[in-house]
Amino acid sequence: TGIYSTKGDSLIVYQDKSIFKFIVKGKTLTGVSKWVGNKTWVRKDTITTNNRKDAALSQNKAALLFEYYKLTGSPKTLDFMLDEKINDSHTEKISLLCNKGLGKACLDYFGILLIQDQGLGSLLKPEKSTKAKSPNKEIIALGNKIIAQGELEGYTVLGSYYYILGDQKKAEELWNTGADKGSQKSAMALFQLEIGQ
């Protein structure tokens, strides 16, 4: 399961590495995006628990998620990596969504700042990084903000940043906390660290 929003007859589900878009028709969902295209799901009559505690907050998050979808859900989203003007605009829009409280946008913004700070090469092979390994206070503050928003993957990304900096103890501490709270990515980072040693 993932976070989701609806707009008109569309249901948009935000998974870890992709966005799934469905058209809602009565009790059926018809997939229209790449991974779920041309597949249909039928709702069974079961009672589900409504865990919504604050309708206004939920509505605000849904609006932010729709803005996020418009920004990241099209096939042209990789253009921002190739064109500096588009990159700056994309970064600014992601930052604004983050500042409005959308944790998913904050995770994206964390990644953008990390690439700007450390370079893409150091992220792919952190053990071979030649960049200076002094902590960037803005990245650390953003990681802590993501955690404070209740996003479990904040532990994962902040731990990864400390790992890149060479502070394995702090990285493990964050990953352990994330794994204890239910982050599968933090648990996987710990597992990879363990088998790499």
Side-chain angles (χ1 to χ4, degrees), residues 134-166:
S134 58
N136 180 317
K137 292 179 182 176
E138 182 181 7
I139 292 174
I140 293 170
L142 180 57
N144 286 318
K145 175 181 178 176
I146 295 167
I147 292 168
Q149 289 175 329
E151 292 287 340
L152 292 181
E153 299 318 323
Y155 294 102
T156 308
V157 297
L158 189 54
S160 297
Y161 180 60
Y162 278 108
Y163 184 77
I164 290 168
L165 295 176

Side-chain angles (χ1 to χ4, degrees), residues 94-112:
I94 286 291
S95 173
L96 286 171
L97 287 172
C98 174
N99 288 333
K100 289 180 179 180
L102 185 62
K104 191 145 188 68
C106 290
L107 288 165
D108 286 6
Y109 189 51
F110 188 96
I112 291 167

Side-chain angles (χ1 to χ4, degrees), residues 43-195:
R43 185 183 83 193
K44 296 179 182 175
D45 289 328
T46 59
I47 297 174
T48 58
T49 305
N50 182 353
N51 292 322
R52 183 177 288 177
K53 295 183 178 31
D54 184 334
L57 185 65
S58 294
Q59 191 62 35
N60 182 52
K61 187 170 184 176
L64 292 174
L65 283 168
F66 185 69
E67 289 300 312
Y68 178 84
Y69 170 73
K70 289 193 308 188
L71 184 60
T72 63
S74 87
K76 298 183 219 168
T77 56
L78 292 179
D79 291 348
F80 83 90
M81 295 180 86
L82 305 173
D83 184 325
E84 191 172 325
K85 202 178 227 184
I86 295 172
N87 184 2
D88 291 344
S89 173
H90 179 85
T91 300
E92 182 181 338
K93 290 173 184 173
I94 286 291
S95 173
L96 286 171
L97 287 172
C98 174
N99 288 333
K100 289 180 179 180
L102 185 62
K104 191 145 188 68
C106 290
L107 288 165
D108 286 6
Y109 189 51
F110 188 96
I112 291 167
L113 292 181
L114 194 56
I115 290 171
Q116 289 173 351
D117 185 64
Q118 296 291 316
L120 190 56
S122 69
L123 300 181
L124 298 174
K125 297 211 180 238
E127 64 281 354
K128 294 186 177 183
S129 175
T130 57
K131 276 247 182 193
K133 302 237 179 182
S134 58
N136 180 317
K137 292 179 182 176
E138 182 181 7
I139 292 174
I140 293 170
L142 180 57
N144 286 318
K145 175 181 178 176
I146 295 167
I147 292 168
Q149 289 175 329
E151 292 287 340
L152 292 181
E153 299 318 323
Y155 294 102
T156 308
V157 297
L158 189 54
S160 297
Y161 180 60
Y162 278 108
Y163 184 77
I164 290 168
L165 295 176
D167 189 344
Q168 185 173 324
K169 182 179 178 187
K170 183 69 174 172
E172 284 185 68
E173 177 185 310
L174 285 160
W175 290 335
N176 273 312
T177 303
D180 290 346
K181 291 180 181 261
S183 167
Q184 293 177 349
K185 289 183 180 179
S186 285
M188 184 57 74
L190 286 168
F191 175 72
Q192 289 175 334
L193 185 65
E194 188 70 30
I195 62 171

